[in-house]
Amino acid sequence: MLGSAEYIGLATTFSAMIMTNLVGNALVIIVVFTKRNMRTPMNFLLVNLAVADMLVGVFIGVRFVINPTYQHPNGISGQYVCKFITGGTPAFTAAVASIYSLVAISVERYFAVLYPFREERLTPRNLKLIILVVWLLSLLWVTPLYVIVTYREDIRTCGEQWPNLLLPRIYSFGWNIIAGVVPICIMAFLYSKVVFRLWFNQEPNADETQKALLRSRKRVTKMVLAVSIVYVICWVPTVVVYFLAYAIPGKEKVHSLNHKITIALATFNSTINPIIYSFQSQRFRNGLMQTLCSGKRNSNRVVPIRSQQQQTSLQMTLHNTTGF
């Protein structure tokens, strides 16, 4: 159990991150749904990421801020409350969905940059299917936690209770694969191809429209690359410490202060994304200002276009192949 000073410090940290998380990600969703020019396939993937990040914030808040402040029910009711509300398992379900939303975004960027004119690249039907698969796979991977998380009398809170030590070692190692090795390798491979195409393999005689499209793709790519790099920095320590908590012989360390600090780091990952959008995307900032100031109109032209035909062509291409 945490001492009062430790709890206050963690609760304050979590509360600040969660409030920023909820406000920032809610604004992302509002901007995309209220601005017609923001309703692109790429941005709907970012909306899915924002929803997942908000759920991380809500259930992490329940687990680490609200839960320690009241007498948790025990018995059968306490077990089910732990599994589905106060134990943090829904937060980890949403966290996996957040991670694989980033993977889906990297796939979208790959096809948008390397195969921009393939009509089957990301249709509305495919988009819905991708989002559904992301959430189903997330739920499937976290299902063991819904089984073994319960109210524990020894620590007087919700916790994992495995029947033996081998199973948590296998499962915690699996987190390193599912939340670490697999998404990092996929994103590293796809973004290396994207970066090479955009920065090192450009068309030598591109016209004004092509140059504008290239600038837009670079901008979006830099933004999602920043989001992905922050994810790696935040999640690698989290999954490694989770594995070591079970792998190192001795007293169980999965409920230690160090483990809680890594959970705070993972929560920070869900909080920082809207801030990255604000710094990296002028288009998002414009949409956000229009939303907050409701009533002001702003032109969404990317660059001056000499002819109406060029403008129409560029706007259609940007709408289909870019996001923020």
Side-chain angles (χ1 to χ4, degrees):
M1 297 292 291
L2 293 177
S4 58
E6 292 173 338
Y7 165 71
I8 291 172
L10 276 177
T12 302
T13 301
F14 277 119
S15 297
M17 288 192 296
I18 290 164
M19 289 302 299
T20 305
N21 175 328
L22 296 179
V23 172
N25 284 298
L27 287 173
V28 170
I29 296 170
I30 291 170
V31 167
V32 172
F33 278 100
T34 58
K35 302 299 174 185
R36 184 177 297 275
N37 68 317
M38 300 292 281
R39 299 174 197 169
T40 66
M42 169 70 180
N43 284 350
F44 281 121
L45 287 176
L46 291 174
V47 165
N48 188 59
L49 176 63
V51 170
D53 286 341
M54 290 178 72
L55 290 175
V56 170
V58 168
F59 285 101
I60 286 293
V62 172
R63 175 71 179 87
F64 292 103
V65 179
I66 299 175
N67 190 21
T69 64
Y70 77 103
Q71 183 63 43
H72 196 284
N74 51 21
I76 298 298
S77 61
Q79 292 179 19
Y80 282 100
V81 170
C82 276
K83 292 178 187 299
F84 298 105
I85 301 176
T86 57
T89 307
F92 294 114
T93 306
V96 178
S98 175
I99 292 168
Y100 280 90
S101 293
L102 289 175
V103 174
I105 289 169
S106 70
V107 174
E108 195 279 341
R109 285 293 85 199
Y110 174 80
F111 283 102
V113 172
L114 273 72
Y115 306 99
F117 301 109
R118 287 181 57 174
E119 294 182 359
E120 67 274 17
R121 180 174 56 85
L122 191 59
T123 63
R125 181 177 179 275
N126 290 341
L127 180 65
K128 293 175 183 177
L129 182 62
I130 289 170
I131 292 173
L132 177 62
V133 169
V134 163
W135 283 97
L136 287 178
L137 289 178
S138 303
L139 182 61
L140 180 63
W141 173 249
V142 183
T143 294
L145 292 180
Y146 286 102
V147 176
I148 57 90
V149 168
T150 186
Y151 182 79
R152 290 178 48 174
E153 293 287 351
D154 57 334
I155 58 176
R156 296 183 181 179
T157 188
C158 302
E160 299 177 16
Q161 194 162 21
W162 297 87
N164 58 64
L165 192 56
L166 178 61
L167 290 177
R169 287 177 175 174
I170 295 173
Y171 186 66
S172 60
F173 179 75
W175 268 94
N176 285 267
I177 304 300
I178 297 299
V181 175
V182 171
I184 290 172
C185 287
I186 292 174
M187 289 189 291
F189 173 77
L190 295 178
Y191 282 133
S192 66
K193 297 285 188 180
V194 170
V195 169
F196 179 78
R197 173 60 65 87
L198 291 178
W199 276 271
F200 302 102
N201 190 24
Q202 302 177 18
E203 292 289 336
N205 299 315
D207 59 25
E208 191 174 0
T209 300
Q210 291 171 323
K211 289 178 180 178
L213 183 58
L214 179 64
R215 286 194 295 269
S216 180
R217 286 173 176 165
K218 283 184 175 181
R219 169 177 48 79
V220 176
T221 300
K222 287 191 290 185
M223 182 189 71
V224 294
L225 267 174
V227 171
S228 301
I229 291 170
V230 170
Y231 149 72
V232 173
I233 294 171
C234 291
W235 269 95
V236 168
T238 304
V239 294
V240 169
V241 169
Y242 181 50
F243 171 67
L244 293 178
Y246 283 116
I248 297 176
K251 187 177 179 180
E252 178 186 351
K253 302 177 182 64
V254 75
H255 303 290
S256 67
L257 177 60
N258 288 339
H259 184 253
K260 289 178 172 63
I261 291 173
T262 64
I263 297 299
L265 191 60
T267 306
F268 175 77
N269 177 68
S270 295
T271 301
I272 196 66
N273 289 341
I275 298 174
I276 295 175
Y277 304 154
S278 297
F279 277 108
Q280 292 286 333
S281 174
Q282 179 66 44
R283 193 176 180 188
F284 175 71
R285 291 195 298 271
N286 290 343
L288 180 59
M289 291 304 298
Q290 289 180 37
T291 300
L292 294 178
C293 300
S294 66
K296 288 186 177 181
R297 292 178 173 252
N298 183 43
S299 173
N300 289 297
R301 294 167 63 190
V302 180
V303 291
I305 305 298
R306 294 178 181 175
S307 71
Q308 183 63 37
Q309 183 178 7
Q310 284 180 312
Q311 182 177 10
T312 302
S313 174
L314 177 58
Q315 287 178 341
M316 290 180 64
T317 306
L318 288 175
H319 185 271
N320 290 324
T321 61
T322 66
F324 287 158

